[in-house]
Amino acid sequence: MVKKKWAVKRLTVNLTATETQKLSQYCAKTGRPFNDVIRELLRSLKVDSDEVSEISPDSEVSELARLQKEVNK
């Protein structure tokens, strides 16, 4: 039996109704829980100092748009 590693920190995220709906639809479509989807998105963020300075809000919007397209397939 494999033991699950529990979260080190609990985080509350405030989402709009639209964001919640999109996340719910994506999770329903993929069969994945909210936590897994959010963790995957966080892991995909660039954190190197050179890369962080180049990240714009537009790149985050692009990622969300990509996820929305997946939901709508």
Side-chain angles (χ1 to χ4, degrees), residues 25-26 29-30 32 40 63-73:
Q25 289 173 344
Y26 182 82
K29 189 163 195 165
T30 62
R32 298 172 56 214
E40 180 179 324
E63 179 63 17
L64 291 174
R66 184 189 67 76
L67 286 173
Q68 181 60 30
K69 286 180 185 176
E70 288 183 21
V71 169
N72 291 329
K73 285 183 181 178

Side-chain angles (χ1 to χ4, degrees), residues 13-25 34 68:
V13 178
N14 296 318
L15 302 173
T16 65
T18 302
E19 292 165 340
T20 302
Q21 182 182 17
K22 287 179 182 181
L23 182 59
S24 294
Q25 289 173 344
F34 286 9
Q68 181 60 30

Side-chain angles (χ1 to χ4, degrees), residues 5-8 10 15-16 22-23 27 30-31 37-38 42 44 49-50 54 56 64:
K5 186 175 181 181
W6 291 99
V8 174
R10 184 172 298 265
L15 302 173
T16 65
K22 287 179 182 181
L23 182 59
C27 291
T30 62
V37 172
I38 292 169
L42 288 171
S44 71
S49 59
D50 292 338
E54 296 173 10
S56 68
L64 291 174

Side-chain angles (χ1 to χ4, degrees), residues 44-61:
S44 71
L45 295 175
K46 308 245 187 289
V47 293
D48 292 343
S49 59
D50 292 338
E51 293 173 339
V52 170
S53 63
E54 296 173 10
I55 294 175
S56 68
D58 291 339
S59 65
E60 294 171 8
V61 170

